[in-house]
Amino acid sequence: MVSDPEILAVGFRLGLVERDEIISWADSRILEMSQPPAELIDLALMSDSHAQDILGKLGELSNEVSPLAALPAAFFRYTHRLRDRPELGPEVANGLWSLAVEANYDVPEELSPIFGFDEDYWLAMSGTFGKESDVHASLLSFCETIALDA
């Protein structure tokens, strides 16, 4: 089962979750627990930390689900942000590409479109081919479809 730390980590890597949101989540979890784990306390204190350090701490709190396996749950929770803020599209596309690279390009068939969005945005933004709004619509449709698997 995908846990909040994994969903937050994927959302953060895709640019759909802000650092402050992660810190607030950690703070609220601490308040709910009588003996919070040290990793959670550390995370709550990481407002000025490097993104990789925050991701590492979220990893320590996770159930060791791969980022690709957590992707449907992250899209289920955060796709509305991409819908509301189309300017996030290129960052999401780049983050998806990074997840594929991290997985050594071993991506399930249903996730295979993640390989193209980054280049599609680049081509549209450079004026070489296509329109950015079309790429965004395609990315959003993909995210909404994958979110159905959460």
Side-chain angles (χ1 to χ4, degrees):
M1 175 147 175
V2 180
S3 66
D4 281 342
E6 290 143 352
I7 295 169
L8 286 165
V10 170
F12 188 53
R13 291 179 68 174
L14 297 179
L16 296 171
V17 173
E18 299 290 329
R19 174 187 319 262
D20 293 343
E21 186 175 351
I22 294 170
I23 303 307
S24 293
W25 172 83
D27 289 342
S28 67
R29 292 287 299 142
I30 289 169
L31 293 174
E32 295 170 1
M33 302 174 151
S34 59
Q35 299 240 306
E39 296 85 3
L40 192 59
I41 295 169
D42 291 344
L43 182 60
L45 299 172
M46 296 181 84
S47 61
D48 294 327
S49 296
H50 188 275
Q52 290 301 323
D53 295 330
I54 291 171
L55 288 169
K57 198 56 67 175
L58 285 167
E60 291 175 27
L61 292 164
S62 78
N63 296 331
E64 298 185 21
V65 172
S66 76
L68 289 177
L71 199 55
F75 281 155
F76 182 80
R77 190 176 292 177
Y78 302 119
T79 295
H80 69 280
R81 294 179 183 181
L82 180 60
R83 187 179 311 107
D84 296 342
R85 297 185 52 210
E87 70 273 10
L88 293 174
E91 186 175 356
V92 171
N94 185 264
L96 288 171
W97 173 255
S98 295
L99 292 178
V101 170
E102 182 181 298
N104 293 318
Y105 306 98
D106 185 16
V107 174
E109 180 66 30
E110 66 272 12
L111 297 180
S112 63
I114 68 176
F115 291 108
F117 293 118
D118 191 48
E119 183 176 17
D120 290 349
Y121 267 109
W122 183 85
L123 290 169
M125 290 166 47
S126 69
T128 305
F129 180 78
K131 295 189 302 189
E132 198 172 338
S133 61
D134 292 340
V135 178
H136 178 74
S138 179
L139 175 61
L140 187 57
S141 175
F142 169 77
C143 295
E144 290 171 338
T145 300
I146 297 303
L148 296 175
D149 293 334

